[in-house]
Amino acid sequence: IEDSTFHQLVAAVAMARDIGQHLGVRVVGPPTNQRRVLVYGMRRWKAALAVGLERVPVRDYGAISEDRAVELQMLENEIRADPHPVDTALGFYLLAQQPEWSQKRIAEVFDKNKGYVSEMVRAGEAIARLREQDRRPLYTAPRVTVRAFQALALVKSVEERREALLALLEPEPRPMVVGATGHAVPADQVG
């Protein structure tokens, strides 16, 4: 995502000739064809490429599982000053799918209240059901906020939550309310 904070990061990396923190990588593939893939630090990596750095600090986690990679990515993202709600929601949802990560544990590890974690997991479930090309615009849509995700979490049906996410991308969304059954209903149809 090209935004002003990324351009500020590029300028800082260019001035310091250093990305400041390690990138996280892991080993994937069979022993005869192993390669290293990024676990976290994509923006720092892109900034390093943009200014032509030849070396960057890397923390190599070796052959860790995809689940462990998600955990490390979430921990690194939550340390940032202001992680994007899409990253938080999707990350919490992916963690909650792992047997060792209850919502209570997520709340404790990330120092969040359980209600917040529950809301973000429900929003993350809907985000996970979006195609990548539908997910990308959520990062720049002004109405994609934690508050919007909290309202979205009230909708019981995952499919309706997914549709409500897509509605956040529309210029003038049709106002929706949660009916007594927990289903989203257009406000103009409530009598």
Side-chain angles (χ1 to χ4, degrees):
I1 299 169
E2 296 287 329
D3 58 22
S4 64
T5 58
F6 178 72
H7 293 299
Q8 291 169 356
L9 175 62
V10 170
V13 169
M15 185 180 300
R17 303 300 301 165
D18 182 37
I19 61 171
Q21 298 174 345
H22 288 81
L23 304 175
V25 298
R26 70 186 182 110
V27 174
V28 297
T32 57
N33 190 23
Q34 289 185 333
R35 66 189 200 294
R36 284 177 170 63
V37 296
L38 199 61
V39 173
Y40 58 78
M42 179 63 75
R43 289 169 58 88
R44 291 189 302 274
W45 172 248
K46 287 183 176 183
L49 290 174
V51 300
L53 289 185
E54 293 182 18
R55 291 178 172 257
V56 295
V58 173
R59 180 164 291 124
D60 189 343
Y61 290 96
I64 60 172
S65 69
E66 180 75 23
D67 293 344
R68 177 71 175 136
V70 169
E71 178 183 341
L72 290 169
Q73 185 180 49
M74 282 301 303
L75 289 167
E76 197 271 342
N77 283 346
E78 287 298 314
I79 289 170
R80 290 193 325 231
D82 192 17
H84 197 281
V86 171
D87 292 333
T88 300
L90 185 57
F92 282 1
Y93 169 72
L94 292 173
L95 283 177
Q97 300 313 295
Q98 300 175 35
E100 67 274 12
W101 281 93
S102 66
Q103 289 186 18
K104 180 180 177 185
R105 180 171 181 226
I106 294 169
E108 290 168 356
V109 168
F110 293 97
D111 195 27
K112 305 290 183 191
N113 74 48
K114 289 185 279 185
Y116 172 83
V117 170
S118 176
E119 292 163 348
M120 294 305 269
V121 166
R122 289 177 62 81
E125 182 180 19
I127 293 167
R129 297 201 180 186
L130 292 175
R131 296 174 307 182
E132 181 62 31
Q133 66 259 28
D134 293 331
R135 191 181 303 162
R136 238 178 277 123
L138 293 173
Y139 286 95
T140 55
R143 294 181 315 112
V144 173
T145 63
V146 170
R147 181 163 284 177
F149 286 179
Q150 289 169 328
L152 186 79
L154 297 173
V155 178
K156 293 195 187 303
S157 160
V158 154
E159 183 56 31
E160 288 181 24
R161 273 184 264 140
R162 190 183 81 73
E163 291 302 318
L165 271 172
L166 293 173
L168 292 174
L169 301 174
E170 296 172 5
E172 290 192 34
R174 194 170 173 191
M176 302 289 277
V177 295
V178 177
T181 62
H183 295 283
V185 179
D188 58 0
Q189 292 180 6
V190 175

